[in-house]
């Protein structure tokens, strides 16, 4: 059954969606959209590093994404505005990645597949990597869920309860880096942040608590992945952008329902 490329693509999309959705809720709650942008743009530099050193692409992207997220945390913690740090790091990393790839003449690189994804080319090995990373992210978030919520709602109250907000920030950073590394094959470096944020934002009007919002975001992310795959196959459109477009349509629908309810 896994020999069917559509089945592999569907499983890959589901794996990324269930990892990105609950993490995306924390991104929305903490207003950390710039983290997703910066780390996903840095993924191209990770691709170049992996190809230059003949390493697995997942490993190169994971290392660079983690370094970028930690660097962004350090800069914003030293008084540099988040928007300024995003502008410097995100675009610098993307530019350096594109330049670095041009210095690899002996390696044939399909940049478009890394920029907007190539879910239809997912292999069995890619599936193992994607689902291993997705399960690692889910286990990490489940393990630290209460502490992450406390640090998100009130860092001062979290400290009083014995929770270190900086440690929880690092855990989120690690989960974000893993998600970027597994998602690059599915939606590409330019669209990863959208898959993090849009399902969570779409779930917000449907939810009455953090847990229900995370569950709704996972359902919306899965629906967007499968719906986008079907629409892409039917209309012969790029699959990664189509998945994000379906997620955006669901976001518009949930917001319209919220407005209709007053």
């Amino acid at each position: 059954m896994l020999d069917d490329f559509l089945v592999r693509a569907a499983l890959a999309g589901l794996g990324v969606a269930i990892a990105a959705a609950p993490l995306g809720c924390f991104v929305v709650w903490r207003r950390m959209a710039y983290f997703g942008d910066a780390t996903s743009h840095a993924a191209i530099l990770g691709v170049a590093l992996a190809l230059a050193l003949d390493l697995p692409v997942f490993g190169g992207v994971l290392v660079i994404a983690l370094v970028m997220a930690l660097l962004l945390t350090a800069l914003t913690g030293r008084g540099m505005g988040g928007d300024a740090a995003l502008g410097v790091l995100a675009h610098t990393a993307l530019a350096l990645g594109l330049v670095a790839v041009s210095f690899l003449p002996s390696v044939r690189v399909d940049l478009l597949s890394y920029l907007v994804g190539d879910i239809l080319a997912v292999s069995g090995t890619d599936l193992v990597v994607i689902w291993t990373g997705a399960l690692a992210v889910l286990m990490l978030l489940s393990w630290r869920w209460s502490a992450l919520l406390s640090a998100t709602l009130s860092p001062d109250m979290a400290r009083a309860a014995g929770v270190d907000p900086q440690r929880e920030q690092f855990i989120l950073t690690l989960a974000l880096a893993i998600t970027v590394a597994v998602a690059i094959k599915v939606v590409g470096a330019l669209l990863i942040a959208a898959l993090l944020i849009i399902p969570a934002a779409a779930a917000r009007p449907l939810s009455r608590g953090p847990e229900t919002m995370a569950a709704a975001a996972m359902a919306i992310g899965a629906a967007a992945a499968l719906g986008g795959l079907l629409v892409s196959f039917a209309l012969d459109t790029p699959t990664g952008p189509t998945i994000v477009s379906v997620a955006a349509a669901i976001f518009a629908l949930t917001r319209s329902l919220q407005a209709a309810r007053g």
Side-chain angles (χ1 to χ4, degrees):
M1 186 175 182
L2 287 179
D3 290 335
D4 188 332
F5 73 97
L6 280 178
V7 175
R8 290 197 300 270
L11 290 174
L14 287 175
V16 171
I18 65 170
L23 179 59
C25 291
F26 283 102
V27 171
V28 169
W29 294 330
R30 287 173 171 249
R31 296 175 180 168
M32 287 172 51
Y34 55 85
F35 263 80
D37 280 322
T39 52
S40 60
H41 287 171
I44 295 299
L45 185 57
V47 170
L49 175 67
L51 294 176
L53 300 178
D54 196 23
L55 297 172
V57 170
F58 172 81
V61 172
L62 178 61
V63 170
I64 295 298
L66 183 57
V67 169
M68 181 59 62
L70 291 174
L71 185 57
L72 186 59
T73 300
L75 286 177
T76 53
R78 293 174 181 270
M80 188 175 185
D83 290 341
L86 166 64
V88 173
L89 293 180
H91 298 97
T92 299
L94 180 59
L96 287 176
L98 295 174
V99 170
V101 168
S102 70
F103 283 104
L104 302 172
S106 61
V107 180
R108 186 176 178 182
V109 182
D110 182 7
L111 272 180
L112 189 61
S113 68
Y114 290 112
L115 290 173
V116 298
D118 191 9
I119 190 174
L120 298 180
V122 167
S123 66
T125 302
D126 292 328
L127 274 181
V128 172
V129 171
I130 289 170
W131 275 93
T132 300
L135 292 176
V137 169
L138 289 178
M139 290 174 63
L140 196 60
L141 293 180
S142 298
W143 173 47
R144 303 302 302 171
W145 183 263
S146 297
L148 285 169
L149 277 179
S150 298
T152 297
L153 294 173
S154 175
D156 292 334
M157 291 184 65
R159 288 190 192 93
V163 175
D164 184 357
Q166 290 186 333
R167 180 186 61 203
E168 306 310 317
Q169 175 71 32
F170 174 76
I171 290 172
L172 277 180
T173 298
L174 177 60
L176 183 58
I178 295 173
T179 302
V180 168
V182 300
I184 191 169
K185 188 77 173 181
V186 176
V187 291
L190 299 181
L191 300 174
I192 293 171
L195 202 60
L196 278 167
I197 297 168
I198 295 176
R204 201 165 197 167
L206 308 177
S207 310
R208 296 191 177 185
E211 291 78 13
T212 56
M213 180 171 165
M218 291 174 70
I220 290 171
L226 296 179
L229 182 62
L230 292 175
V231 171
S232 171
F233 185 73
L235 301 181
D236 194 23
T237 55
T239 310
T242 304
I243 290 174
V244 175
S245 297
V246 171
I250 297 174
F251 168 79
L253 177 62
T254 61
R255 288 292 171 174
S256 298
L257 292 175
Q258 182 187 36
R261 290 200 301 259

